[in-house]
């Protein structure tokens, strides 16, 4: 059966081996320019420009046509979206599902609100790939991936929260904490999909140590960890070393944030997706 995995671009993925995959792009919008989060986006130029940009910025989710295009002609579609608290992507995908299934009554679409972004979504997609390749039943995959998504988490370290404040996602008071006197804000994606600041750390080294402590407290034991960085590879590598010293059997991967996640993480930021088992 023709099966496809689909996500929005908050997954930071362009391709997936073994299973057809497509990412529907979100957009980052300023008064001066619109950035489409696809493979052609110059992420560095966007991040550099936004650092000095003083106006309001916003994001735009894929519309129904974008999702329908991403679904293609697949008979089974498994779709994962960024948390619904940051974007209308989930609701848009649900409307596309209704249209698609009405037009093709013999086809099925499953849409998962990930309640997260970036590397945690990447973990979910990797698990979906595994379930699809195991040729599991559609309903079984839906149930298993829903349960799996409850056993993953996301931590973040931010040097700046300017874009989040400009976008109305955090208060200006909270945003001012990041970057002052070397302060890094460490936080997590809450169970409701909100961004939840947990700690203010003086300096990057302290912030990385704090992330490791939260990984332990939140349930990491022998699972997988994915680190996505916004032009801060050295910090990502240092965090990987700390994690492997603390958790010998954990598998750690490092990747770069693409457009949407770079907009929220900003230069120097880290996003850390992990399994809680």
């Amino acid at each position: 059966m023709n099966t496809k995995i689909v996500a929005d671009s908050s997954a930071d993925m362009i391709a997936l081996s073994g299973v057809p995959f497509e990412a529907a792009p979100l957009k980052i919008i300023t008064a001066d320019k619109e950035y489409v989060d696809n493979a052609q986006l110059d992420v560095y130029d966007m991040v550099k420009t936004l650092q000095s940009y003083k106006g309001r910025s916003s994001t735009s989710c894929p519309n129904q046509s974008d999702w329908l295009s991403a679904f293609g002609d697949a008979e089974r579609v498994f779709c994962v979206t960024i948390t619904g608290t940051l974007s209308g992507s989930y609701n848009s995908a649900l409307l596309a599902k209704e249209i698609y299934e009405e037009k093709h009554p013999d086809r099925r679409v499953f849409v998962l609100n990930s309640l997260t972004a970036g590397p945690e979504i990447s973990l979910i997609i990797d698990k979906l790939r595994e379930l699809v390749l195991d040729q599991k039943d559609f309903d079984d995959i839906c149930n298993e991936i829903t349960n799996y998504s409850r056993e993953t988490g996301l931590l973040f370290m931010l040097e700046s929260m300017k874009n989040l404040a400009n976008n109305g996602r955090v208060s200006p008071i909270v945003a001012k904490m990041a970057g002052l006197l070397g302060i890094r804000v460490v936080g997590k994606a809450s169970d409701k999909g909100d961004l939840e600041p947990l700690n203010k750390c003086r300096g990057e080294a302290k912030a990385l140590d704090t992330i490791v402590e939260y990984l332990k407290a939140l349930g990491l034991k022998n699972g997988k960890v994915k680190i996505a960085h916004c032009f801060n590879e050295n910090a990502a590598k240092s965090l990987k070393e700390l994690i492997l010293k603390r958790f010998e059997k954990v598998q750690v991967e490092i990747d770069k944030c693409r457009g949407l996640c770079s907009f929220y993480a900003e230069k120097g930021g880290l996003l850390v997706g992990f399994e809680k088992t």
Side-chain angles (χ1 to χ4, degrees):
M1 184 173 287
N2 181 6
T3 300
K4 191 173 189 180
I5 296 174
V6 175
D8 58 43
S9 59
S10 71
D12 279 343
M13 300 178 69
I14 296 174
L16 186 67
S17 65
V19 178
F21 173 81
E22 188 163 344
L26 288 105
K27 297 175 182 177
I28 298 93
I29 302 167
T30 71
D32 302 326
K33 189 171 182 178
E34 179 178 278
Y35 301 91
V36 180
D37 189 11
N38 56 23
Q40 289 72 49
L41 176 64
D42 185 337
V43 179
Y44 180 78
D45 177 72
M46 183 196 80
V47 170
K48 184 178 179 181
T49 300
L50 289 175
Q51 278 186 294
S52 58
Y53 178 71
K54 299 189 183 302
R56 284 192 60 82
S57 54
S58 63
T59 62
S60 174
C61 68
N63 60 35
Q64 296 165 42
S65 296
D66 295 328
W67 283 118
L68 290 170
S69 176
F71 295 169
D73 61 355
E75 297 169 89
R76 302 193 310 174
V77 177
F78 298 98
C79 175
V80 187
T81 76
I82 188 174
T83 174
T85 63
L86 288 181
S87 171
S89 188
Y90 173 64
N91 289 331
S92 180
L94 285 179
L95 291 172
K97 162 188 162 70
E98 292 180 12
I99 295 170
Y100 195 76
E101 290 183 336
E102 182 177 347
K103 185 176 180 180
H104 307 285
D106 58 332
R107 301 180 185 180
R108 301 187 67 183
V109 178
F110 173 72
V111 181
L112 177 69
N113 177 1
S114 71
L115 301 177
T116 189
E120 187 180 358
I121 295 182
S122 179
L123 286 171
I124 293 169
I125 290 174
D126 284 350
K127 185 65 175 180
L128 264 176
R129 174 184 174 276
E130 176 186 315
L131 295 171
V132 169
L133 291 177
D134 284 345
Q135 299 183 341
K136 297 255 186 174
D137 177 77
F138 183 88
D139 290 325
D140 289 341
I141 293 178
C142 296
N143 290 331
E144 288 193 41
I145 202 61
T146 299
N147 291 333
Y148 176 80
S149 69
R150 296 177 181 136
E151 297 300 323
T152 59
L154 181 78
L155 290 167
F156 57 82
M157 179 196 80
L158 303 179
E159 291 187 17
S160 170
M161 302 177 80
K162 181 172 77 76
N163 292 340
L164 284 166
N166 286 346
N167 200 23
R169 302 304 180 185
V170 300
S171 73
I173 295 175
V174 172
K176 285 181 180 178
M177 294 187 303
L180 291 175
L181 301 174
I183 294 294
R184 307 292 193 274
V185 174
V186 173
K188 70 173 184 175
S190 73
D191 292 340
K192 295 181 180 180
D194 297 312
L195 298 178
E196 180 181 335
L198 296 171
N199 213 320
K200 302 186 296 290
C201 302
R202 182 68 62 81
E204 188 171 86
K206 178 61 176 176
L208 298 181
D209 287 335
T210 300
I211 288 174
V212 174
E213 292 303 320
Y214 276 120
L215 286 172
K216 184 177 185 300
L218 293 171
L220 177 66
K221 294 177 183 177
N222 301 315
K224 298 175 182 177
V225 175
K226 291 200 173 193
I227 303 169
H229 68 88
C230 183
F231 301 102
N232 197 356
E233 186 176 7
N234 287 337
K237 289 180 177 178
S238 295
L239 179 58
K240 179 177 179 177
E241 291 178 5
L242 290 171
I243 292 171
L244 292 176
K245 285 180 181 178
R246 189 71 173 270
F247 308 94
E248 294 181 357
K249 296 182 180 180
V250 166
Q251 302 173 46
V252 183
E253 296 180 12
I254 295 175
D255 209 341
K256 298 177 182 178
C257 293
R258 294 201 51 76
L260 193 281
C261 287
S262 290
F263 173 73
Y264 285 123
E266 298 189 55
K267 190 175 185 297
L270 299 180
L271 303 177
V272 186
F274 62 97
E275 295 179 333
K276 298 177 182 178
T277 54

